Amino acid sequence: MKMNFQKLVIGASMAIGVSALATAPAHATSFSFNNTGEINTYTGGSNGTFIKGNAQGGTNAAIKALTDNNSSSNVELWYSTENPTSNVGFTATQKNYSATVSSVTTSDWSSFGSQWLGDLLSTYTPFKSVWNGFSASTQSLVTSYFPLLGMGDPNIGSFQFGQDGGVELNLVGHLDVKTKLSQTLSYNLTQAWNQVSPQFPTQTTLPTLSQVNTLIPQLQSQLTTISGQISLLQSQLAKIPNNIATQAARATLNSQITQLTTLQSQLPGQITQLTSLKDLLSLQATLNAYQGEIGASEIAKVVTGGKTYYAYGFNPTASGITASDDGVSYSAYYNWHTPTYTPPLKQVPEPSIILGLLGIAGVFATQRKFKKASI
């Protein structure tokens, strides 16, 4: 009976302590999703599984992945393609703080693309000199590729508010996007080649950088001389009487003038196209020669505190895993937070919790004395 009484006291004390822990005030974060059909949760690890957001338990799985402190479990925003057409994501709320995290659209790229490019070139400086050597038309062309890179459907590994309502995200992505960049560049090189291929009538494959560099000055020289050639032909035409006997000669001169005038209007566009092809070939050569990894996260749009941010990073941390479906994805983590983010304070137990735990400790001490007394 004495031992039963001791167990009863210990059990009651533990119950008090656990009850106090359970009732300790917590600042829970609530989540709502604006399009569960485009939400997909990966449960984590190399053998993880996928749970659709609109499936049974789908939103619960997504919330768990965002708050479980395990970045290998993550939530993909805009699941169906790599090029979102709308801002799909979630809104998180904690006390008076609110933040909306979503996918990135083509329209968003027009707002932050130059910022992203500047950060990319500052991180990978070998490409900066190549970019600075591009013509204005090539820079505009390459900028238009950004939405096609497939980086606007981010995988969010974790989300939390800071002390001041700031936001921290962990983005899950590739350790090295060099292959992805190379594939995008190759596709657009093919498009550029299709435009200028008539200028290489005997060639069926993409020209070399040397060939393009040789042709451009030739066309520029030809353009420079056309005006003089047209003026000379017009002068000759003015000296020929306009009668039946000279009709054939005048027709020949007029045809030559028309051909030169047409060529004069076409050459600037051809030179521009060739210059863009040359720039892209130069970028391809630099990319192929680059020995290091190119880490670049996917991008999330974050709206909080009345401001809009774009979350991305170029400093990856190897995750040690890859996704079960392609064996490539999820190989790196990228951390991002708002400028004034301060990590949340660790929860300090309430006095009642401490007293409960002390009560448990006291009971165990008493039990030890009882055991000593019975020896």
Side-chain angles (χ1 to χ4, degrees):
M1 286 298 293
K2 182 169 65 175
M3 289 303 297
N4 289 338
F5 175 74
Q6 291 171 13
K7 290 179 180 178
L8 180 62
V9 172
I10 292 170
S13 298
M14 291 182 68
I16 293 170
V18 171
S19 175
L21 284 169
T23 57
H27 303 306
T29 302
S30 62
F31 294 84
S32 62
F33 299 84
N34 67 354
N35 184 347
T36 56
E38 284 290 352
I39 299 295
N40 201 34
T41 299
Y42 185 70
T43 59
S46 292
N47 298 316
T49 58
F50 294 92
I51 301 174
K52 286 291 293 176
N54 55 1
Q56 184 175 5
T59 54
N60 290 335
I63 293 170
K64 182 177 184 297
L66 291 170
T67 58
D68 63 3
N69 295 319
N70 176 10
S71 293
S72 65
S73 58
N74 60 84
V75 180
E76 183 174 14
L77 309 181
W78 191 270
Y79 167 68
S80 59
T81 67
E82 288 192 335
N83 300 304
T85 56
S86 65
N87 297 118
V88 166
F90 61 86
T91 295
T93 305
Q94 183 187 100
K95 298 192 298 183
N96 296 326
Y97 304 136
S98 178
T100 298
V101 181
S102 65
S103 54
V104 172
T105 66
T106 300
S107 176
D108 293 321
W109 272 106
S110 65
S111 299
F112 81 98
S114 59
Q115 168 195 319
W116 179 85
L117 175 65
D119 291 341
L120 175 70
L121 295 177
S122 295
T123 305
Y124 301 103
T125 52
F127 298 95
K128 194 166 190 175
S129 59
V130 178
W131 175 264
N132 291 338
F134 283 174
S135 66
S137 60
T138 303
Q139 290 183 347
S140 177
L141 179 66
V142 173
T143 300
S144 72
Y145 299 161
F146 291 167
L148 305 177
L149 292 175
M151 302 173 75
D153 55 334
N155 292 76
I156 311 299
S158 66
F159 172 95
Q160 73 173 358
F161 285 107
Q163 293 183 39
D164 55 357
V167 167
E168 181 183 57
L169 299 180
N170 197 264
L171 300 162
V172 185
H174 287 45
L175 191 62
D176 188 359
V177 298
K178 189 160 53 179
T179 299
K180 180 188 282 285
L181 293 173
S182 181
Q183 291 171 344
T184 302
L185 182 57
S186 294
Y187 171 80
N188 287 289
L189 268 169
T190 301
Q191 300 298 107
W193 163 240
N194 290 338
Q195 291 182 322
V196 303
S197 57
Q199 299 177 52
F200 298 85
T202 62
Q203 190 158 332
T204 58
T205 59
L206 193 69
T208 65
L209 182 59
S210 177
Q211 287 176 300
V212 178
N213 277 332
T214 299
L215 182 56
I216 290 175
Q218 293 176 356
L219 296 183
Q220 290 172 331
S221 176
Q222 188 177 2
L223 179 61
T224 301
T225 60
I226 284 181
S227 294
Q229 293 172 341
I230 292 176
S231 295
L232 179 61
L233 291 175
Q234 289 174 335
S235 176
Q236 292 174 355
L237 182 64
K239 295 177 181 178
I240 300 176
N242 188 6
N243 54 49
I244 295 177
T246 61
Q247 281 183 351
R250 290 178 63 85
T252 298
L253 287 172
N254 277 319
S255 177
Q256 292 174 349
I257 291 171
T258 299
Q259 290 176 3
L260 286 171
T261 302
T262 301
L263 183 59
Q264 187 180 40
S265 66
Q266 293 174 342
L267 279 175
Q270 293 175 359
I271 292 171
T272 296
Q273 291 174 345
L274 278 171
T275 300
S276 290
L277 179 62
K278 177 204 74 172
D279 292 340
L280 294 179
L281 286 169
S282 178
L283 179 58
Q284 184 185 55
T286 304
L287 185 62
N288 291 340
Y290 188 75
Q291 296 298 312
E293 295 176 336
I294 300 178
S297 75
E298 293 174 323
I299 304 159
K301 183 177 183 179
V302 181
V303 180
T304 184
K307 296 181 180 180
T308 298
Y309 304 92
Y310 291 92
Y312 57 85
F314 301 107
N315 184 26
T317 299
S319 67
I321 67 165
T322 54
S324 58
D325 61 339
D326 63 8
V328 177
S329 301
Y330 310 158
S331 56
Y333 302 141
Y334 297 82
N335 187 265
W336 177 91
H337 54 74
T338 50
T340 59
Y341 174 79
T342 303
L345 291 171
K346 292 183 179 180
Q347 292 293 324
V348 178
E350 291 287 308
S352 59
I353 300 175
I354 297 173
L355 290 173
L357 293 175
L358 288 173
I360 295 173
V363 168
F364 278 109
T366 302
Q367 182 187 27
R368 187 162 176 244
K369 290 179 180 178
F370 285 160
K371 286 182 177 179
K372 284 184 178 180
S374 63
I375 291 175

